[in-house]
């Protein structure tokens, strides 16, 4: 993993259909790690899960989060189109019910 690139941040939240199913979680995590290990564009790679929230403003309803940074919007678009990303979606999309993406550029 390299340092976070503040030019472009790609944050993704996943809600798995069966979040308590360990086999589904293992399949998802394995596919996601394989994808990130083979991405030519993703700079930093943070895979997370919600902590036990102690504040009302924290949304812990998701199963997994992913934060990836890029040096540019063009690199982020290339990431969307690269084969490892498409394979990840093919392998894992049946496991989730919802995905929300937040993309940001630095100010």
């Amino acid at each position: 993993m390299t340092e976070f690139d503040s030019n472009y941040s790609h944050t993704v939240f996943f809600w798995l259909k069966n979040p308590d199913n360990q086999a589904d979680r293992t399949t998802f995590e394995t596919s996601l790690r394989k994808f990130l290990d083979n991405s030519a564009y993703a700079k930093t790679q943070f895979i997370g899960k919600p902590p036990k929230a102690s504040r009302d403003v924290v949304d812990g309803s998701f199963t997994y989060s992913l934060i990836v940074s890029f040096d540019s919007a063009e690199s982020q678009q290339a990431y969307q189109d690269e084969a490892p990303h498409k394979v990840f979606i093919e392998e894992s999309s049946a496991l989730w019910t919802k995905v929300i993406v937040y993309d940001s550029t630095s100010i």
Side-chain angles (χ1 to χ4, degrees):
M1 184 183 312
T2 60
E3 287 188 35
F4 184 82
D5 192 317
S6 64
N7 285 304
Y8 198 103
S9 174
H10 179 68
T11 306
V12 186
F13 294 93
F14 300 90
W15 284 260
L16 296 190
K17 290 178 184 175
N18 301 302
D20 297 325
N21 182 302
Q22 190 56 51
D24 285 1
R25 292 178 80 95
T26 299
T27 299
F28 179 83
E29 288 177 22
T30 300
S31 180
L32 183 56
R33 289 182 196 283
K34 179 177 73 173
F35 156 46
L36 293 172
D37 287 345
N38 290 289
S39 173
Y41 302 97
K43 289 193 130 187
T44 51
Q45 307 161 7
F46 173 82
I47 302 170
K49 58 184 182 175
K52 299 282 187 231
S54 60
R55 298 174 297 149
D56 292 341
V57 297
V58 177
D59 178 0
S61 66
F62 60 94
T63 313
Y64 288 99
S65 64
L66 170 66
I67 304 171
V68 182
S69 66
F70 302 94
D71 58 8
S72 66
E74 293 77 19
S75 290
Q76 194 276 339
Q77 184 56 55
Y79 157 95
Q80 292 296 323
D81 297 332
E82 70 179 338
H85 185 252
K86 291 179 179 184
V87 169
F88 165 68
I89 293 169
E90 184 178 313
E91 289 177 348
S92 300
S93 62
L95 297 172
W96 63 64
T97 59
K98 178 179 171 180
V99 175
I100 293 181
V101 176
Y102 295 97
D103 286 341
S104 303
T105 57
S106 62
I107 57 172

